[in-house]
């Protein structure tokens, strides 16, 4: 191709990944470096998402375009980790990923953070799993990495407990990943892992456990299967005192009383009542408002 004429828009878009392309590829296709960066200036038809990474249109980039740009920035062995990787592997609760993505890159790579990418260099690169063509850290690693950027125990509890309840991974797998990659940022996630191991299934239950610990009253069994005298299964009580046949149902508007779950909750209450068990059922609590938490720069792990 004769340098100067340059490829047309269709050829450029075909060579990109959803409109995202490395500047060096554009130069290889016949555009000069000055032309590439001139088109990325304010008012130009393109924009620069990361050093050497171009989006062939203006406007707000999509999540997929940002993920593609992040992986191109990270290099051929980079994998997406953290909250965005958790969402792509089926986790539905926990804080939103937002626009800040987390990458894992090999320790010998010199890759800088950008406005939308946190880069963690590691000596322990995981074997990537692929979802929709995107290389992801396996879920236990993604959960561990994402939790290190959070400070709110309730957010971490929702993240971990949802993954465990859905059968996507085990508590032991999350704990192993937290143990394997250093102590930095892991104190709060480790406390939450212990709570989830003890049966906590949501942020609301974590709050309830803390409240009860301060009460000085007898400790219940948390999330225990309850049967009547003949062995018939009544349901799983959020908290249960066997000596007095008392259940405490800790309902959260967002995750315990969804329309699809309402009939099941009512049926369980009826079974407990018919067996002579009492149930404390305070008004459902709402989850805390979502908030953005400061993220420390990624370091070598």
């Amino acid at each position: 191709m004769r340098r100067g004429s340059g490829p047309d828009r269709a050829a450029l878009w075909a060579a990109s990944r959803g409109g995202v392309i490395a500047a060096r590829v554009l130069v290889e296709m016949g555009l000069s470096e000055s032309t590439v960066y001139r088109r990325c200036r304010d008012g130009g038809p393109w924009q620069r998402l990361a050093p050497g990474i171009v989006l062939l249109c203006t406007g707000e980039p999509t999540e997929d375009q940002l993920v593609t740009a992040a992986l191109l920035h990270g290099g051929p062995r980079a994998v997406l980790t953290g909250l965005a990787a958790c969402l792509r592997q089926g986790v539905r609760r926990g804080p939103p990923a937002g626009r800040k993505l987390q990458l894992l890159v090999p320790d010998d790579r010199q890759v800088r953070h950008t406005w939308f990418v946190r880069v963690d260099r590691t000596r322990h690169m995981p074997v990537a799993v692929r979802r929709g063509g995107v290389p992801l850290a396996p879920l236990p690693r993604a959960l561990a990495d994402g939790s290190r950027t959070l400070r709110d125990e309730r957010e971490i509890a929702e993240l971990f407990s949802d993954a465990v309840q859905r059968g996507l991974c085990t508590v032991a797998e999350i704990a192993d990943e937290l143990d394997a990659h250093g102590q930095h940022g892991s104190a709060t996630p480790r406390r939450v892992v212990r709570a989830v191991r003890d049966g906590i299934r949501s942020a609301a239950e974590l709050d309830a456990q803390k409240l009860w610990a301060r009460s000085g009253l007898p400790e219940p069994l948390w999330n225990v299967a309850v049967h009547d005298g003949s062995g018939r299964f009544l349901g799983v009580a959020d908290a249960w005192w066997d000596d007095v046949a008392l259940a405490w149902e800790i309902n959260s508007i967002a995750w315990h009383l969804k329309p699809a779950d309402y009939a099941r909750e009512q049926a369980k209450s009826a079974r407990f009542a018919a067996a002579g068990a009492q149930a404390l059922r305070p008004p459902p609590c709402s989850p805390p408002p979502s908030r953005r938490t400061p993220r420390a720069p990624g370091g070598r792990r």
Side-chain angles (χ1 to χ4, degrees), residues 86 94 96 177 267 293 297 300:
C86 293
E177 289 295 343
T293 55
R300 182 177 301 185

Side-chain angles (χ1 to χ4, degrees), residues 97-273:
R99 302 293 260 185
K100 194 74 169 181
L101 302 174
Q102 275 183 269
L103 284 186
L104 291 174
V105 301
D107 183 61
D108 59 359
R109 289 276 297 156
Q110 300 294 328
V111 183
R112 295 183 178 181
H113 311 299
T114 74
W115 64 273
F116 71 100
V117 182
R118 165 190 165 129
V119 180
D120 289 334
R121 295 165 58 202
T122 179
R123 298 181 181 90
H124 306 285
M125 284 294 295
V127 177
V129 297
R130 288 188 174 270
R131 297 289 186 274
V134 176
L136 308 173
L139 184 57
R141 179 68 178 272
L143 289 164
D145 290 341
S147 70
R148 291 173 188 270
T149 70
L150 305 174
R151 297 295 176 265
D152 190 328
E153 284 188 346
R154 304 180 90 253
E155 291 183 332
I156 300 172
E158 292 298 334
L159 188 69
F160 287 177
S161 60
D162 187 63
V164 172
Q165 288 172 50
R166 292 178 184 274
L168 302 175
C169 67
T170 66
V171 176
E173 288 171 331
I174 302 172
D176 287 346
E177 289 295 343
L178 287 170
D179 290 340
H181 304 294
Q183 301 293 315
H184 179 71
S186 69
T188 301
R190 287 171 192 273
R191 286 197 300 272
V192 175
V193 160
R194 290 193 292 270
V196 174
R197 181 183 286 124
D198 291 341
I200 293 302
R201 299 182 303 177
S202 68
E205 291 181 12
L206 182 64
D207 290 343
Q209 188 183 64
K210 290 180 178 180
L211 174 65
W212 201 263
R214 295 194 299 268
S215 72
L217 295 171
E219 185 71 14
L221 299 172
W222 296 94
N223 288 303
V224 63
V226 180
H227 300 77
D228 65 13
S230 63
R232 184 171 64 97
F233 176 68
L234 301 178
V236 175
D238 294 337
W240 175 256
W241 292 265
D242 198 55
D243 291 343
V244 294
L246 176 65
W248 185 15
E249 293 298 284
I250 306 159
N251 291 326
S252 165
I253 288 174
W255 302 297
H256 281 73
L257 290 182
K258 294 179 181 178
D261 296 333
Y262 181 74
R264 185 165 58 248
E265 290 288 330
Q266 292 299 100
K268 182 172 74 171
S269 296
R271 291 194 300 271
F272 274 93

